[in-house]
Amino acid sequence: MKRHTTGFTLLELMITVVIIAILAAIAMPLYNKYVIKSHVRSAMTDLTSLSLVVENLYQRNLKYVATTATDQDAQNYISTNNGITWTPAESANFTYTLNASATGSGTPVVYYTLKAVGKTGTINAGCTLTLNNTNTKTIADTSKGCGGLTSW
């Protein structure tokens, strides 16, 4: 076999390229799954920090402050009711909402549910994380947006 100026035959170079391609084909999906999981775990941390702010509001008002009976933007809720700016680390990949509403007219608000929903068009699309005032945590995945995670 004729050797190139690098000292390797063409066959040796081709074998090397094939081996590198195989390793890349194995490593890339594993790396992508790792990145997806890291975004989900960061969103879990965001929800936990949000729950601390909501619980602080409860301590000051002796009820969860409700403005609507539907999911509302969590950042806006915190800004309006607490006067601080809360910026989640995963705002590029997740939308954060809060639902704090009374069970009946005149009833004080005694519960809330927080959600982090993977944004459409991101690697976390289809992933939904929830956390409520009893510290019940759920994770739902309608595609592969949670990276295979099934619990917190």
Side-chain angles (χ1 to χ4, degrees), residues 55-76:
E55 290 295 341
N56 180 273
L57 281 169
Y58 182 86
Q59 292 298 317
R60 293 187 348 210
N61 299 299
L62 297 180
K63 66 179 180 177
Y64 298 110
V65 181
T67 55
T68 65
T70 60
D71 289 348
Q72 54 192 312
D73 179 72
Q75 287 178 273
N76 187 43

Side-chain angles (χ1 to χ4, degrees), residues 48-121:
T48 302
S49 71
L50 177 59
S51 72
L52 293 173
V53 175
V54 173
E55 290 295 341
N56 180 273
L57 281 169
Y58 182 86
Q59 292 298 317
R60 293 187 348 210
N61 299 299
L62 297 180
K63 66 179 180 177
Y64 298 110
V65 181
T67 55
T68 65
T70 60
D71 289 348
Q72 54 192 312
D73 179 72
Q75 287 178 273
N76 187 43
Y77 176 88
I78 295 303
S79 176
T80 302
N81 295 297
N82 203 2
I84 63 170
T85 302
W86 177 74
T87 306
E90 286 299 321
S91 60
N93 295 308
F94 286 88
T95 301
Y96 297 87
T97 60
L98 176 135
N99 184 335
S101 60
T103 54
S105 179
T107 305
V109 179
V110 294
Y111 74 91
Y112 66 85
T113 301
L114 305 172
K115 283 185 191 175
V117 179
K119 290 182 178 179
T120 303

Side-chain angles (χ1 to χ4, degrees), residues 15-27:
I15 291 172
T16 303
V17 169
V18 168
I19 290 171
I20 291 172
I22 290 170
L23 291 174
I26 293 169

